[in-house]
Amino acid sequence: MTTPPPALLIAGHGTRDEAGAEAFRDFVGELGRRHPELPVAGGFIELSPPPLGEAVAELVERGVRRFAAVPLMLVSAGHAKGDIPAALSREKERHPGITYTYGRPLGPHPALLRVLERRLAQAVDPSWDPAEVTVLLVGRGSTDPDANAEVFKAARLLWEGRGYGAVETAFVSLAEPDVPGGLERCARLGARRVVVLPYFLFTGILPDRVRHQTEEWAAAHPETEVRSADVIGPEPELLDLVWERYEEAVKGDLRMNCDSCVYRIALPGFEDKVGLPQQPHFHPDDDGHHHHGHHHGHGHAHSHAH
């Protein structure tokens, strides 16, 4: 009798946008249909149901004892580095006997860069010369400098070999430059045609904010032609990449970056985060949840197992 392969657990951030949450749940369902040979479940750290603990309980009820968890996130910030590992550790206490491995975040993988390139092509006028187009890649933004640097890395990789005049970077929250500041930088560098490209997997509150801020800036600066591109979305490349991360986790072939991690290395202004204690997020829909009041995510957990 052969041992069944580990189940697949998808860990999402969560969003107050119901369409975005539904896109995540549909994505998990599609992964399950693609891989009928193993149980697949998914849950969120915060903001939307189902909580990650409920997804683990669902797997356990199906007889699962081994699973690989993949964070459905583009960059390794506090959630991927800390909240998810801490939540998984809590689930291990709740369900004695389960074992798991933890995969790495998704980007900036060449497959996702191809999708971003497609989104740009859909947004620009076909008559435009790419060399005259400036792209503004807008990430989520984080208080983790390593995570913000990952967005800059994605921007550089997107620029390489594709012929665009420039690829600049901005953030919609928690980090500078913000969207108006990023657009202003593009204009000061001489950009006449700008495509704002959201570095997000699915629709949600923050991608909507990017589009809204872009439209506001464009209305105030008619001399610059500005277009908005769509989010990455549940493309075949994304499904394939999650499976690749699953297989890495199962084989133990994990290559996460620890060289500039604030929880390991003292970076200027972030020295107090080195070796910080680990605490999971508390999801309000989690049945095992007895924490009252809003948890702001201070003291991000970080397993150091990456």
Side-chain angles (χ1 to χ4, degrees):
M1 179 175 157
T2 58
T3 305
L8 171 56
L9 176 69
I10 306 296
H13 177 274
T15 173
R16 290 186 179 87
D17 180 76
E18 181 51 36
E22 190 59 29
F24 171 90
R25 293 188 286 261
D26 289 346
F27 185 82
V28 172
E30 179 58 28
L31 274 167
R33 287 187 288 276
R34 273 187 165 216
H35 301 283
E37 73 279 9
L38 76 163
V40 177
F44 295 106
I45 291 297
E46 60 183 1
L47 300 177
S48 41
L52 196 62
E54 191 176 301
V56 173
E58 176 193 327
L59 291 175
V60 171
E61 284 166 15
R62 294 167 68 177
V64 168
R65 288 291 172 267
R66 298 163 59 235
F67 64 86
V70 174
L72 199 69
M73 297 172 184
L74 288 166
V75 300
S76 188
H79 294 294
K81 289 179 178 179
D83 296 326
I84 297 171
L88 293 173
S89 179
R90 180 177 59 191
E91 293 310 311
K92 201 171 189 312
E93 292 176 9
R94 287 180 179 174
H95 306 282
I98 65 169
T99 60
Y100 62 86
T101 54
Y102 181 45
R104 60 183 174 134
L106 304 173
H109 193 281
L112 295 185
L113 295 173
R114 285 196 300 273
V115 179
L116 291 173
E117 187 176 13
R118 207 153 64 230
R119 294 289 175 257
L120 286 172
Q122 291 162 350
V124 300
D125 188 304
S127 67
W128 288 3
D129 178 358
E132 296 178 356
V133 174
T134 296
V135 178
L136 182 65
L137 185 71
V138 181
R140 179 186 186 85
S142 171
T143 55
D144 184 333
D146 181 44
N148 295 331
E150 283 290 302
V151 183
F152 275 82
K153 181 177 180 179
R156 177 69 197 194
L157 289 170
L158 183 64
W159 179 82
E160 292 277 357
R162 288 182 173 84
Y164 287 102
V167 180
E168 295 294 321
T169 309
F171 302 95
V172 73
S173 65
L174 299 174
E176 295 290 336
D178 59 12
V179 176
L183 285 163
E184 194 64 38
R185 175 177 166 80
C186 292
R188 289 187 176 196
L189 289 171
R192 291 289 171 265
R193 289 170 172 164
V194 180
V195 179
V196 176
L197 177 62
Y199 194 45
F200 286 83
L201 292 174
F202 302 129
T203 56
I205 301 293
L206 294 181
D208 287 349
R209 188 181 300 167
V210 173
R211 186 175 287 267
H212 177 67
Q213 291 179 352
T214 297
E215 289 169 353
E216 280 191 336
W217 189 91
H221 299 81
E223 70 282 1
T224 306
E225 191 166 2
V226 184
R227 301 276 182 96
S228 287
D230 287 331
V231 295
I232 290 170
E235 294 293 287
E237 289 94 338
L238 183 58
L239 289 155
D240 291 341
L241 178 54
V242 169
W243 185 251
E244 185 177 317
R245 293 290 183 256
Y246 164 80
E247 291 188 316
E248 281 180 0
V250 169
K251 294 172 185 171
D253 177 27
L254 298 177
R255 293 161 287 178
M256 286 193 179
N257 165 42
C258 291
D259 294 339
S260 52
C261 170
V262 287
Y263 299 102
R264 286 177 178 266
I265 308 297
L267 298 180
F270 297 87
E271 293 87 352
D272 60 330
K273 288 197 173 187
V274 176
L276 209 60
Q278 311 300 310
Q279 293 296 330
H281 259 305
F282 291 93
H283 196 297
D285 297 325
D286 192 324
D287 289 339
H289 161 64
H290 301 294
H291 179 89
H292 298 287
H294 182 65
H295 178 72
H296 288 283
H298 296 304
H300 275 308
H302 186 41
S303 71
H304 303 306
H306 67 284

